[in-house]
Amino acid sequence: MKLRKVAVVGAGITKFVRRAQETAKELSYHATKMALDSCNMPLEEIDSVVHGTAPDAFDGVHMKGEYLSEASGGWRKPFMRSYVGGGTGVFAPINGWYLVASGMYDTCVVVCEEKMSSCQPHPQGAFLTIFDHTTERPLGPNLLWIFALEMNRYMQVHKIPREQIALVSVKNKRNALDHPSAQLGAELTVEDVMNSEIMAWPVTRLMVSPTSDGAAAVVLASEEVAKKITDNPVWISGVGWNLDTAYWTNRDLYYPEYVEKAARMAYKMAGIKNPREEINVVEPYDPFAYKELHHLEGLLLADKGQAPRITAEGITARDGKMPSCPSGGLLGVGNPIAAAGMMKICELFWQLRGEAGKRQVKNSPRTGLAQAWGDLMQVGTVVIMQRGD
Amino acid sequence: MLETGIRLHGTALEEEDFKTHRVFYTTDIPKLQYAWDCGVAMGHYLKGLKQGKLLGTYCKKCKRTVIPPRVFCELCFRNMDKWVELKDTGIVNTFSICYVTWDMKKLIYPEIPAVIEIDGASKGKGILHLLAEVDPKQVKLGMKVKAVWKPKSEREGSILDIKYFKPI
Ligand SMILES: [Zn+2]
């Protein structure tokens, strides 16, 4: 099949906050409007709309996609909702990409939104239903369990000290100080992270991203249209996604095979042979500190068990050879589920155009990768983006 | 362009905003109840639990015994070939020591969730359960554990027919 080139030509984002005064519709509208305005695109020139948002249970509104359609610019347009749990924020742009790459449409706006705070007393309640209702839910699980179980397996198989994992929180929360959306930017030490309250060993409070309200959006265009809109398009050069089994107690959690499969699909499409040399900036999914490391390995950007070492060596620092989460990531900017993945796509857009201000990485990046992850530790979604020249 | 310091939409609410009625909100408690049919494979599994047995299913093509059991093999996409009675012992694949409830309230006694690889199933095939009768600091990967069952008269065909696993 002959695929057309697809560019990101505009991006928009709201602040990420614990509880926003704005409704889900208002947040979606502001992110969408900012993305359209950033490339001077009137809504009439948008052919199609993709919306990404996580479970309806957060908002207590069934058919949430339809509910948010007009706030995403979808009024009387071809509209679709994408959803693969936490992986949604990078899956929605993949859906938008194929609407344009296939030749169906010349333009698409992709909007991701989450308002978790409506769910009381704590949005965690909406996560409990991901566990199997017969074999797991009677045990009274909470979402921290699966992260703690996976982190412990990863740490113990590779003999990784917790201090090295804490370093990810320090790096990302510091990076977030320069992000105008950020909810939890902070200057911390490894000791601060280690000494914060243990929630589910080996996870401490400062190794966990917050729950958030927020939205983010991008405008996609075919090559012909993109070149009329901007001299500085950022191409989507590769996409990949993959799902593993929901029987998560039957897999070795120390390594995310499905992320590797998604990455290999995207690298192949982008013609990338040596990812460690060719990916200049990366935004792996970091809802917990160890997840950034776990994902750098799954993305083949570090050997198995070696992501902590390259982090300690500063390779993933904002001024390093392969900056990771220069935005501040979910740990620092915040984690409005679907919007958090889209925030990473937006960050690559700004980084590859040299428009990230104080967050700008120093290696004048040509190619970047964003990745998200979710469900019962089973989905990997990957987008590779490339500066045009 | 997204420079540091640029003002974005999104207004953070504080406790004070609700106390002073600067903002309004409405509430509802949706009334949803579910009754899940356990299906063919899980129904048989629960019957086994009531009898004090852990059951798995075997695929002869993939030479794999899995637990929790299912009627089809997701690898070769065929019917599973037979039921296998497994042991009620196994090893700890991974564990956590959890100090909070789902809504972030502090637990007085931490819970120890674990993935337990069940003896008799293929390597790495395990179930989620809890560990007890052990000092949390003594739990190790690879530790051998055994199911502690409820008395026969109290078992009702539930994963809770196993109270927890303890070290042996
Ligand atoms: Zn099979």
Side-chain angles (χ1 to χ4, degrees):
Chain A
M1 184 169 64
K2 180 84 183 103
L3 294 169
R4 300 199 297 173
K5 281 180 80 174
V6 179
V8 182
V9 295
I13 195 164
T14 66
K15 280 168 85 168
F16 289 1
V17 296
R18 172 68 184 86
R19 182 170 179 175
Q21 180 175 9
E22 289 79 3
T23 61
K25 286 190 189 194
E26 289 166 344
L27 292 168
S28 293
Y29 163 73
H30 285 306
T32 309
K33 182 71 174 164
M34 181 176 164
L36 291 169
D37 288 352
S38 75
C39 54
N40 298 311
M41 281 283 270
L43 187 58
E44 306 89 83
E45 287 175 29
I46 297 296
D47 299 337
S48 60
V49 177
V50 172
H51 191 99
T53 189
D56 291 349
F58 281 142
D59 297 67
V61 174
H62 202 52
M63 52 158 249
K64 195 171 155 195
E66 295 88 323
Y67 180 68
L68 295 177
S69 61
E70 73 268 21
S72 318
W75 181 68
R76 293 187 178 170
K77 287 185 194 295
F79 175 91
M80 62 188 273
R81 174 186 180 180
S82 331
Y83 177 42
V84 281
T88 301
V90 175
F91 188 58
I94 294 174
N95 289 173
W97 166 83
Y98 66 62
L99 290 178
V100 178
S102 65
M104 283 277 283
Y105 302 109
D106 279 326
T107 52
C108 180
V109 59
V110 185
V111 187
C112 289
E113 181 278 342
E114 217 69 68
K115 189 171 169 83
M116 300 172 75
S117 65
S118 307
C119 188
Q120 300 285 324
H122 195 285
Q124 287 283 359
F127 284 125
L128 299 180
T129 56
I130 69 173
F131 290 96
D132 185 272
H133 48 65
T134 303
T135 57
E136 293 167 353
R137 272 203 246 174
L139 299 167
N142 71 59
L143 197 72
L144 284 167
W145 284 17
I146 59 172
F147 288 101
L149 292 167
E150 188 177 68
M151 174 172 166
N152 197 17
R153 182 75 188 165
Y154 171 64
M155 266 174 51
Q156 303 233 19
V157 166
H158 295 303
K159 312 246 178 311
I160 297 166
R162 274 163 82 234
E163 287 80 354
Q164 291 195 356
I165 292 173
L167 209 50
V168 176
S169 295
V170 174
K171 170 176 73 70
N172 292 5
K173 285 173 187 288
R174 182 185 294 146
N175 285 351
L177 288 169
D178 297 324
H179 198 298
S181 298
Q183 183 177 348
L184 280 185
E187 190 69 58
L188 298 169
T189 63
V190 166
E191 290 68 40
D192 293 333
V193 179
M194 295 292 289
N195 295 335
S196 63
E197 178 196 353
I198 297 177
M199 300 176 79
W201 195 90
V203 174
T204 66
R205 183 172 290 280
L206 290 173
M207 293 180 184
V208 187
S209 61
T211 59
S212 317
D213 295 353
V218 289
V219 179
L220 305 182
S222 64
E223 183 170 19
E224 199 182 48
V225 174
K227 285 186 169 161
K228 284 184 203 148
I229 297 171
T230 175
D231 297 332
N232 209 0
V234 173
W235 304 103
I236 293 181
S237 54
V239 303
W241 71 100
N242 196 279
L243 268 103
D244 210 324
T245 169
Y247 292 108
W248 62 278
T249 58
N250 282 194
R251 290 190 255 132
D252 197 331
L253 300 175
Y254 92 105
Y255 184 73
E257 297 268 359
Y258 49 95
V259 172
E260 179 182 328
K261 287 198 181 318
R264 285 189 186 278
M265 175 178 163
Y267 290 142
K268 189 172 173 213
M269 189 182 295
I272 288 174
K273 302 249 170 348
N274 187 350
R276 290 177 207 183
E277 296 303 319
E278 295 175 65
I279 298 295
N280 313 124
V281 55
V282 58
E283 282 279 344
Y285 201 64
D286 62 321
F288 283 61
Y290 81 95
K291 288 304 299 181
E292 171 165 328
L293 305 167
H294 206 232
H295 290 150
L296 287 171
E297 293 170 20
L299 294 167
L300 309 172
L301 296 173
D303 288 337
K304 287 181 184 176
Q306 294 302 307
R309 181 183 58 79
I310 69 167
T311 305
E313 287 171 357
I315 289 170
T316 60
R318 195 183 272 160
D319 57 0
K321 178 170 170 271
M322 186 185 64
S324 180
C325 291
S327 63
L330 280 54
L331 288 165
V333 185
N335 187 7
I337 313 291
M342 178 55 82
M343 178 275 286
K344 291 178 173 290
I345 300 282
C346 293
E347 183 68 6
L348 289 185
F349 175 71
W350 290 311
Q351 290 286 353
L352 294 169
R353 286 174 38 131
E355 293 181 346
K358 277 170 83 176
R359 299 186 316 287
Q360 187 61 47
V361 300
K362 308 288 182 247
N363 61 354
S364 92
R366 181 161 187 279
T367 308
L369 181 151
Q371 175 253 340
W373 165 97
D375 297 328
L376 274 171
M377 305 178 280
Q378 74 190 106
V379 59
T381 52
V382 174
V383 165
I384 297 172
M385 289 160 63
Q386 209 161 74
R387 170 156 51 91
D389 44 34
Chain B
M1 185 76 72
L2 194 75
E3 300 260 19
T4 307
I6 181 180
R7 238 189 93 73
L8 297 168
H9 284 283
T11 314
L13 293 177
E14 308 292 342
E15 271 310 307
E16 196 60 21
D17 295 315
F18 299 104
K19 276 194 208 137
T20 59
H21 303 285
R22 188 182 76 75
V23 295
F24 297 94
Y25 62 93
T26 55
T27 60
D28 183 23
I29 302 173
K31 292 177 185 58
L32 301 169
Q33 283 190 24
Y34 299 86
W36 291 291
D37 297 318
C38 9
V40 176
M42 204 46 65
H44 203 68
Y45 182 60
L46 296 182
K47 203 160 128 195
L49 288 169
K50 192 168 163 59
Q51 293 164 356
K53 291 188 278 195
L54 278 172
L55 300 174
T57 48
Y58 175 72
C59 170
K60 67 179 178 194
K61 192 164 176 196
C62 301
K63 298 189 169 51
R64 227 168 53 114
T65 304
V66 296
I67 181 171
R70 39 265 200 191
V71 292
F72 65 94
C73 173
E74 69 273 18
L75 271 54
C76 64
F77 219 57
R78 296 163 52 252
N79 290 350
M80 282 289 189
D81 295 289
K82 63 172 182 182
W83 285 91
V84 186
E85 184 177 338
L86 310 176
K87 299 220 171 85
D88 69 350
T89 55
I91 62 164
V92 174
N93 169 285
T94 185
F95 69 95
S96 169
I97 308 165
C98 190
Y99 295 89
V100 290
T101 60
W102 66 272
D103 55 350
M104 301 300 138
K105 295 200 178 75
K106 218 157 168 61
L107 284 168
I108 301 167
Y109 301 104
E111 290 177 312
I112 314 174
V115 174
I116 297 146
E117 294 181 31
I118 301 297
D119 290 334
S122 298
K123 190 174 162 28
K125 305 299 166 212
I127 60 171
L128 176 69
H129 219 293
L130 295 160
L131 302 181
E133 286 188 52
V134 60
D135 175 355
K137 291 193 173 61
Q138 299 304 316
V139 181
K140 299 269 184 299
L141 262 66
M143 179 183 252
K144 286 192 76 66
V145 292
K146 182 173 171 55
V148 175
W149 296 86
K150 280 185 183 165
K152 202 169 178 188
S153 58
E154 291 171 26
R155 293 201 293 256
E156 50 190 19
S158 155
I159 191 66
L160 300 180
D161 289 346
I162 295 175
K163 291 200 283 187
Y164 49 79
F165 283 76
K166 68 169 190 185
I168 44 173

